[in-house]
Amino acid sequence: MADDRPELQPVPLETACEWTAEDVRDEALWTEHLTSGELEELERAIAVAEAKSDDFLQIGKADFPLPTLASRLKRIEAELIDGRGFVRIRGLPRERWSNDQMCLAYWGIGAHLGRPWPQNAKGHLLGDVTDQGKQPGDPTARGNELGQIPLDFHCDGSDLVGLLCLQTGVSGGLSAVCNSVALHNRLVRERSDLAAELYKPQPYDYRGEQPPGGRGWYPMPVFTAYGGRLFVRLIRGYILASQRHADAPRLSDRAAAALSWMQAEAEGGRYSVVMDFQPGDMQFINNYHVLHGRTGYEDDKASGRVRHLKRLWLETEALRERPEQFRNRMGSHWAQRALISRLDAVQ
């Protein structure tokens, strides 16, 4: 009989970043309210950026000066990387700022947290999260394009992911975050064989956005240990969808069991918290330590009540060393052109 013992003996990592739902029950712990002085500073920074260019791609950190807010953002960044891993920043004045002003403030704040990465094959550096009419069974559909169905806990493809709420829908659309560090460490302690399986490369579906002529899937471990840090890339739906490609490796029984365990524990509520978004709210999370999802939502296009978020994928300077598969993708086929998505707030 073949020896099927795991080649890797995983160990718990970054235990200081573990938390439970009870630990973060008080939303005051993770909600940062912008002060009137900080809003005035943002307005001045918007004016500086607008004077330089009306192209967001020409606006960097130096073009968006935040002499006092920058230090607060640096503390938030430290909490994202080495602490709780998520934050909600509340208070951008949606009622008096235009769409462009809202997006520019968000872009500028993002520039102080990291460098934007492309989010799709269109090259979007500032993307949209809104129901674009795609169906769940569409093999090219991605979570940010779907609305009525809940979105499972998952990671995106960057160090940090940011969301800005421009508008809410009729109902639903609550955001959920889950501590993947706690899930990893518990799985290591209780089922090290399953944890070891997720350290092996798993196939992920490209959703039709692979390089021209390339295969429709790519290999990526769910868990990676590097320099004492934990890096997580978990998109269970994409892993399962990879099996539609004949040339993709078949999932092992152990990998399927491990993915099911992660899904069940993430949804169980012990390691997750749910939050609402109001227009003007921003959320930033550490993709490697926090999974995110949302409840389904309902829009009413006739009345203009359409849920619309803007999204940033960011490379943080705080993680100077990282595994090869988590390095920036500015040289990938997704980055052959850089664009700002310009979907209107009301579809």
Side-chain angles (χ1 to χ4, degrees):
M1 181 178 295
D3 184 355
D4 63 351
R5 289 176 298 177
E7 298 176 3
L8 174 77
Q9 292 297 325
V11 297
L13 295 167
E14 298 193 84
T15 55
C17 296
E18 292 185 36
W19 51 260
T20 66
E22 185 61 32
D23 296 329
V24 295
R25 186 176 303 280
D26 181 2
E27 64 180 55
L29 294 172
W30 39 263
T31 303
E32 300 273 346
H33 293 272
L34 295 170
T35 67
S36 59
E38 288 168 339
L39 290 177
E40 290 173 0
E41 186 169 283
L42 283 166
E43 288 182 326
R44 290 192 293 269
I46 288 171
V48 170
E50 288 176 333
K52 176 176 180 178
S53 176
D54 59 2
D55 181 358
F56 284 17
L57 299 178
Q58 301 301 313
I59 305 302
K61 180 178 177 180
D63 309 304
F64 203 85
L66 297 173
T68 59
L69 181 55
S71 60
R72 187 178 184 186
L73 293 175
K74 185 59 69 174
R75 291 194 299 272
I76 288 172
E77 178 187 56
E79 185 65 39
L80 291 173
I81 300 303
D82 294 315
R84 185 180 53 249
F86 72 96
V87 67
R88 180 178 61 187
I89 303 176
R90 173 159 280 176
L92 291 186
R94 183 67 179 110
E95 70 284 354
R96 61 185 177 86
W97 283 7
S98 69
N99 244 35
D100 282 352
Q101 288 173 315
M102 292 290 294
C103 292
L104 185 51
Y106 173 53
W107 178 266
I109 287 171
H112 281 263
L113 293 172
R115 177 189 180 197
W117 279 9
Q119 303 172 21
N120 52 33
K122 298 184 178 89
H124 287 158
L125 297 186
L126 180 61
D128 292 280
V129 180
T130 192
D131 188 348
Q132 298 181 31
K134 290 195 174 184
Q135 299 303 310
D138 184 341
T140 69
R142 297 174 62 185
N144 63 297
E145 301 169 332
L146 303 170
Q148 294 189 1
I149 64 168
L151 194 58
D152 289 343
F153 284 109
H154 66 284
C155 306
D156 285 349
S158 57
D159 296 347
L160 306 178
V161 59
L163 295 171
L164 163 69
C165 179
L166 290 176
Q167 189 163 274
T168 58
V170 174
S171 63
L174 296 176
S175 174
V177 294
C178 177
N179 186 213
S180 50
V181 181
L183 293 181
H184 167 271
N185 290 346
R186 183 177 162 202
L187 188 61
V188 166
R189 295 176 183 121
E190 297 181 5
R191 289 295 307 270
S192 62
D193 59 326
L194 296 188
E197 194 71 16
L198 294 186
Y199 272 89
K200 300 174 183 178
Q202 306 297 329
Y204 288 73
D205 191 282
Y206 252 125
R207 313 309 287 167
E209 296 192 338
Q210 63 267 26
R215 63 192 183 190
W217 59 277
Y218 63 93
M220 188 84 167
V222 172
F223 298 142
T224 302
Y226 190 88
R229 290 189 179 272
L230 173 65
F231 292 78
V232 178
R233 170 68 55 78
L234 175 59
I235 315 177
R236 180 172 177 262
Y238 287 12
I239 295 175
L240 297 180
S242 74
Q243 303 300 276
R244 69 191 178 97
H245 301 289
D247 62 341
R250 299 300 94 180
L251 288 183
S252 69
D253 290 342
R254 188 173 286 170
L259 291 171
S260 294
W261 186 96
M262 290 289 290
Q263 179 79 5
E265 292 301 321
E267 292 181 347
R270 182 178 176 183
Y271 305 105
S272 63
V273 63
V274 176
M275 69 184 76
D276 74 314
F277 284 157
Q278 298 174 9
D281 284 352
M282 292 171 284
Q283 179 195 74
F284 291 95
I285 66 171
N286 177 345
N287 250 330
Y288 309 137
H289 287 179
V290 174
L291 308 174
H292 63 283
R294 59 150 175 78
T295 63
Y297 62 88
E298 181 182 355
D299 291 332
D300 183 359
K301 293 186 178 183
S303 67
R305 296 186 65 186
V306 174
R307 184 179 188 266
H308 189 189
L309 311 180
K310 301 297 288 191
R311 185 173 71 175
L312 285 170
W313 284 4
L314 299 171
E315 174 191 12
T316 174
E317 295 178 359
L319 291 175
R320 297 187 181 278
E321 300 294 332
R322 69 192 69 217
E324 178 64 33
Q325 64 267 31
F326 291 100
R327 293 181 182 172
N328 78 58
R329 294 209 301 267
M330 292 310 291
S332 75
H333 67 288
W334 281 14
Q336 290 178 357
R337 54 179 178 171
L339 295 172
I340 302 296
S341 179
R342 292 291 187 180
L343 281 182
D344 293 333
V346 179
Q347 305 296 301

